[in-house]
Amino acid sequence: MKILIVDDDPAMAKSIRGILATVGLNAHSVTRGQLAIDELQLHPYDLVLLDLNMPDMDGTEVLHHINAHKIDTSVIVVSGESEIKKAIEVLRAGAKDFIRKPYSTDELLFSIKNVCEKKALQLQNREMVEKLEESEALHRFIVHNSPDLLYMLDRCGNFVFVNKNTIKLLGYSRKELIGKHYSDVVYAKDLAKANMFFNNGHFPINTSSLELRLVCKNQDNLLHVEVRALNIEKKIAGGYKLGRHNTLTQNFIGTYGVARDITERKRSEEIIRFQMNHDLLTGLPNRTLLNEHLAALITHAGQHHEKFAVLFIDINRFKLINDTYGQSIGDDFLRSFASTLRRELREGDTLARLGGDEFILLLPDIDSEADAMTVADKIIAQASMPYLHNGHEIHYTLSVGIAIFPEHGETREELIKNVDTAVCNAKTKTGSRYCLYNRNLKNQNSQKVFIENLIRDSIKHDRFVVFYQPQIDLPLKKIHAVEALVRIMSPNKKLILPGKFIDIAEETSLINDIGEIVLEKVCHDINRWRGLGLQIRVSINMSAQQLAMEYFADTFLGRLEEHAINPADIELELTENVLVQNMKRTIANIVQLTDAGIKIAIDDFGTGYSSLSYLDRLPLNTLKLDKSFVQKISEENQQDTIIPAMINVSNGLQLDFIAEGVETKIQHEYLLNLGHCIAQGFYYSKPLSYDQLITFVKKHGLS
């Protein structure tokens, strides 16, 4: 066995060589990280004993080099580093063990022996795989499907073979499983489809795979598996053959199959599904799930000639609470408010949060408008009790709009529109009041008209400005890219943020004009950076309307060509719901843009309405996690997050992963410890003007 010792302390290296010599092992030593890399490139080594703290290149960099260049060696880190985080980091990076100095001779030799035995086992497994590849169809089937559980059933459906993983995961002994019918370990609710798959225990029908739940021995756990199977028939001349047949023959002797454990994947999918359909702050249904419940309620009430009520609940001047006490207390208030409302509801009622301080309540099966008004009175009465926080009383009032099905609308759109009109009119009343919709009410659209006029005037007088927020490569601590963020500079020199005008711009199609203005300004700034010797990638937000335009890609690329902009310097951010609007034309534009070299990022990942299936079907480069996930990270609940699962998804698809909305040191350190991640938020920098960004780049550098 060839061993390389990497330690900047010659005395320590000599000591290790002496220890190895006692068991007949020889070792070569070097004192610097670069020398270790040079040696590994020239000569093969079975094992590297690697120190972390060295002057020119630390051990972590050597370890990353070994991984990056796929050098076939095992690494044991031998270091005086005392932080457990460092040990976790190097083990995640591929080290086989971590030994802290000072150590005993037995500890070092035991670790080396353990690593060598594992490597020998890996070599044995590799040889076994090579033999399997040369074997008959049965062996090829096992290899190609990389099974976790291997099993064989006889013609009656009883187990005649199970591997160790099957025993381990189900909790039974081999003796308990052999002879047991497959139905004994299938969850009762999945038994019908299991019987169909295995054709009542005889052999599988022509189905590629099936997801089942298996019951473990302790009865408390369900194992989610993806099952694949082949029937086995005896050859006339002896031996066996595998295949799929839809008729039972006398030569059929049983079934061979594999089952892959997908329990963790199912749990992740359930978490993601919950996040996509619920408000992360309050746990209430979000707009997506509300629309589903409302559509189902309309169908049911229409068929049974029932009434139901829609209540729009708005917290008056909630922004003042946020501005006065801070967002954290504002969030606590919203959680408490939602919890209080839920306690007053019937089992069949639905309370949803639309966002901000707006809630919708569905009251099915009511007798009259009076029932809905009674509930509104109770809700408003709750607001008479102030919210208590650290001894301080926070007083608030509510406005409630009411619409009744079918009198005030027979479709989802009509009901939401009319209840919105009702709550707008309720706001004009003094204190906490409710308003029942009637056709004489006027919708409060004057503010929308004002915003639309502001946008048109800003386009005419060139009042749009572009700021840039850096995206930080956490391992490198340098700028990865910047996101272009548009604002309006009002005539009185105040910045108007996009939250005030983007929705109106999309409703009026003025978003296309804004998009052209932003692109023009970004191209101009990129050329100015180029004159300073800087190459900065810019991420630009794209709306669904722009991407659905027939010649959008041609126009966009033409504008880049006019300014001599390299498409690789541009990344377009799309929200998930963009992908479900005019899908065909949108995807055609995306493909044309990526073929030209433009990068594509999915913004607000995890909150959209589309299926995760698009991730491996579209030419994507980046997943940008919605800030609501990051905001959940705190010192108390660092384990209660699905961000590691999201990163695994992006790593598996070889996509960059950006976490936005990082505002605290705890959030920053959490993301830093997860490994390679790009982060964006006020913790690193607010959106910067052109001149401010130049100063920021000079200070932090580019990755």
Side-chain angles (χ1 to χ4, degrees):
M1 168 180 278
K2 294 189 66 178
I3 300 176
L4 177 64
I5 302 170
V6 187
D7 199 308
D8 63 334
D9 185 349
M12 179 60 69
K14 181 178 179 181
S15 172
I16 295 176
R17 287 200 303 272
I19 293 173
L20 297 178
T22 62
V23 292
L25 295 175
N26 295 319
H28 177 66
S29 64
V30 294
T31 58
R32 292 182 179 274
Q34 185 59 52
L35 294 176
I37 290 175
D38 295 341
E39 184 67 22
L40 288 169
Q41 290 174 338
L42 292 174
H43 306 290
Y45 283 89
D46 300 296
L47 180 64
V48 177
L49 301 178
L50 179 63
D51 188 17
L52 287 184
N53 299 315
M54 293 182 288
D56 64 331
M57 178 186 295
D58 66 18
T60 304
E61 294 178 88
V62 175
L63 184 58
H64 287 324
H65 178 87
I66 290 172
N67 291 334
H69 292 79
K70 299 182 179 179
I71 298 175
D72 187 14
T73 188
S74 298
V75 177
I76 297 176
V77 173
V78 183
S79 174
E81 177 66 54
S82 61
E83 287 193 16
I84 188 63
K85 288 183 178 180
K86 198 66 177 178
I88 294 172
E89 179 185 344
V90 297
L91 291 172
R92 284 179 174 173
K96 302 302 182 185
D97 202 356
F98 183 97
I99 301 176
R100 183 177 298 157
K101 298 176 183 177
Y103 52 82
S104 67
T105 298
D106 290 342
E107 184 181 3
L108 177 63
L109 293 178
F110 177 80
S111 179
I112 293 174
K113 178 185 176 184
N114 192 32
V115 170
C116 292
E117 287 178 350
K118 287 182 179 179
K119 188 164 186 177
L121 184 60
Q122 289 174 350
L123 290 174
Q124 291 177 6
N125 289 339
R126 193 181 304 167
E127 292 174 0
M128 183 182 300
V129 170
E130 291 173 355
K131 291 179 182 178
L132 288 172
E133 288 176 345
E134 299 171 357
S135 67
E136 296 179 353
L138 174 61
H139 294 159
R140 289 197 299 271
F141 179 78
I142 296 173
V143 173
H144 292 162
N145 289 277
S146 301
D148 293 319
L149 296 85
L150 308 182
Y151 64 91
M152 186 179 292
L153 306 175
D154 62 19
R155 64 184 290 118
C156 296
N158 301 315
F159 288 107
V160 294
F161 166 79
V162 290
N163 71 340
K164 291 182 179 179
N165 280 338
T166 308
I167 296 169
K168 177 182 177 181
L169 293 174
L170 292 180
Y172 294 95
S173 68
R174 188 184 302 275
K175 184 177 181 181
E176 288 174 317
L177 279 178
I178 298 301
K180 185 186 290 287
H181 194 267
Y182 73 83
S183 61
D184 292 335
V185 297
V186 175
Y187 185 51
K189 293 183 178 180
D190 293 348
L191 192 55
K193 62 180 180 179
N195 288 336
M196 183 177 295
F197 182 74
F198 290 110
N199 203 10
N200 295 319
H202 295 307
F203 57 90
I205 61 174
N206 190 19
T207 305
S208 59
S209 65
L210 178 69
E211 291 186 5
L212 292 174
R213 288 169 290 182
L214 305 182
V215 181
C216 298
K217 184 179 179 180
N218 61 16
Q219 300 291 320
D220 293 330
N221 296 331
L222 291 178
L223 189 69
H224 292 260
V225 295
E226 183 180 52
V227 181
R228 298 175 184 272
L230 290 175
N231 62 309
I232 309 173
E233 291 188 0
K234 187 183 298 183
K235 288 184 179 179
I236 297 176
Y240 303 100
K241 69 175 181 178
L242 302 175
R244 292 190 181 277
H245 302 282
N246 289 324
T247 56
L248 184 62
T249 69
Q250 292 182 347
N251 293 326
F252 172 74
I253 62 173
T255 300
Y256 179 81
V258 295
R260 178 169 301 161
D261 181 8
I262 58 171
T263 305
E264 289 304 316
R265 190 189 85 188
K266 284 294 184 181
R267 287 174 183 167
S268 296
E269 288 176 353
E270 284 298 320
I271 292 172
I272 292 173
R273 190 177 298 113
F274 180 86
Q275 301 284 11
M276 291 177 65
N277 289 287
H278 291 79
D279 170 56
L280 298 182
L281 179 65
T282 62
L284 296 176
N286 61 15
R287 189 184 299 270
T288 306
L289 193 55
L290 170 68
N291 287 339
E292 292 180 7
H293 284 197
L294 183 52
L297 192 54
I298 289 171
T299 300
H300 176 83
Q303 292 174 346
H304 295 81
H305 305 290
E306 295 175 350
K307 293 177 182 286
F308 70 84
V310 181
L311 274 63
F312 195 127
I313 305 165
D314 188 281
I315 303 171
N316 297 321
R317 303 180 69 193
F318 173 73
K319 185 178 183 300
L320 183 61
I321 297 176
N322 254 357
D323 293 343
T324 304
Y325 298 97
Q327 182 177 341
S328 177
I329 294 178
D331 288 347
D332 289 341
F333 168 77
L334 288 174
R335 279 190 287 264
S336 174
F337 177 74
S339 179
T340 300
L341 285 185
R342 269 188 297 205
R343 288 196 296 269
E344 301 298 322
L345 302 182
R346 301 171 301 174
E347 184 176 348
D349 298 340
T350 297
L351 178 65
R353 183 184 179 215
L354 297 186
D357 55 359
E358 298 177 340
F359 297 81
I360 290 284
L361 174 60
L362 304 181
L363 300 174
D365 192 20
I366 63 171
D367 294 327
S368 66
E369 298 171 350
D371 292 342
M373 289 187 283
T374 299
V375 173
D377 276 328
K378 290 181 179 179
I379 292 172
I380 291 172
Q382 290 289 342
S384 65
M385 302 295 295
Y387 171 67
L388 299 177
H389 180 79
N390 292 338
H392 297 286
E393 292 187 350
I394 300 177
H395 295 269
Y396 65 99
T397 61
L398 302 178
S399 295
V400 181
I402 306 172
I404 307 297
F405 174 91
E407 289 92 333
H408 303 149
E410 297 184 0
T411 68
R412 184 183 65 198
E413 291 76 13
E414 288 176 341
L415 288 167
I416 295 298
K417 173 178 173 292
N418 292 338
V419 78
D420 180 60
T421 298
V423 78
C424 286
N425 280 268
K427 282 178 170 291
T428 64
K429 301 181 179 182
T430 304
S432 292
R433 293 289 188 272
Y434 63 78
C435 176
L436 180 67
Y437 175 79
N438 67 75
R439 289 176 173 79
N440 296 321
L441 295 178
K442 295 182 179 180
N443 206 336
Q444 309 297 310
N445 284 320
S446 58
Q447 182 67 15
K448 291 186 177 181
V449 174
F450 171 81
I451 295 295
E452 181 180 348
N453 290 335
L454 173 67
I455 296 171
R456 294 185 185 277
D457 188 66
S458 300
I459 293 172
K460 181 179 179 181
H461 295 95
D462 192 22
R463 292 202 180 105
F464 285 94
V465 293
V466 175
F467 279 59
Y468 300 94
Q469 188 170 38
Q471 298 171 347
I472 307 300
D473 188 316
L474 294 185
L476 298 179
K477 300 179 181 178
K478 294 182 179 180
I479 299 175
H480 168 78
V482 296
E483 180 182 3
L485 300 169
V486 66
R487 280 96 169 88
I488 292 177
M489 182 67 74
S490 67
N492 60 3
K493 302 302 180 182
K494 289 186 178 180
L495 284 177
I496 300 174
L497 300 182
K500 295 288 187 181
F501 61 85
I502 285 296
D503 289 344
I504 306 299
E506 289 186 335
E507 289 180 14
T508 57
S509 296
L510 291 171
I511 191 68
N512 299 323
D513 299 287
I514 296 176
E516 291 180 8
I517 292 171
V518 171
L519 179 59
E520 186 73 19
K521 291 182 180 295
V522 167
C523 290
H524 179 67
D525 287 344
I526 288 176
N527 280 325
R528 293 169 69 193
W529 292 327
R530 186 186 302 163
L532 298 174
L534 300 175
Q535 184 177 357
I536 306 175
R537 181 189 296 172
V538 181
S539 184
I540 304 174
N541 291 279
M542 284 292 117
S543 75
Q545 287 186 34
Q546 291 173 280
L547 276 168
M549 293 169 61
E550 187 168 3
Y551 299 107
F552 172 77
D554 291 330
T555 304
F556 191 93
L557 294 172
R559 185 63 58 88
L560 295 185
E561 186 176 356
E562 289 174 12
H563 290 274
I565 301 297
N566 184 353
D569 290 339
I570 300 294
E571 185 172 74
L572 300 185
E573 289 192 14
L574 325 174
T575 55
E576 289 184 84
N577 57 327
V578 166
L579 302 175
V580 296
Q581 299 185 33
N582 206 332
M583 189 76 152
K584 184 176 180 181
R585 190 177 296 167
T586 297
I587 291 180
N589 276 323
I590 291 175
V591 171
Q592 185 177 347
L593 291 167
T594 55
D595 286 346
I598 288 175
K599 309 296 183 184
I600 300 293
I602 293 298
D603 193 15
D604 299 334
F605 177 66
T607 63
Y609 309 129
S610 54
S611 167
L612 294 177
S613 63
Y614 67 79
L615 290 180
D616 61 355
R617 293 192 290 110
L618 292 175
L620 305 178
N621 305 96
T622 304
L623 295 183
K624 193 170 184 185
L625 185 68
D626 183 71
K627 63 183 179 182
S628 57
F629 293 89
V630 174
Q631 289 172 350
K632 291 186 66 179
I633 301 170
S634 65
E635 194 164 8
E636 294 77 21
N637 70 338
Q638 292 192 34
Q639 305 302 319
D640 185 21
T641 173
I642 65 169
I643 294 179
M646 297 286 202
I647 291 181
N648 287 336
V649 170
S650 63
N651 289 341
L653 296 171
Q654 298 181 331
L655 304 176
D656 286 337
F657 183 87
I658 299 179
E660 64 177 338
V662 180
E663 297 180 354
T664 68
K665 185 177 180 181
I666 290 175
Q667 294 166 354
H668 161 74
E669 291 178 345
Y670 176 87
L671 295 170
L672 184 63
N673 291 333
L674 289 181
H676 182 68
C677 181
I678 301 163
Q680 177 181 349
F682 276 43
Y683 179 79
Y684 309 103
S685 172
K686 64 180 182 180
L688 305 172
S689 66
Y690 174 88
D691 292 330
Q692 290 171 329
L693 179 63
I694 297 299
T695 303
F696 191 92
V697 171
K698 289 179 179 178
K699 181 178 179 180
H700 297 278
L702 299 169
S703 62

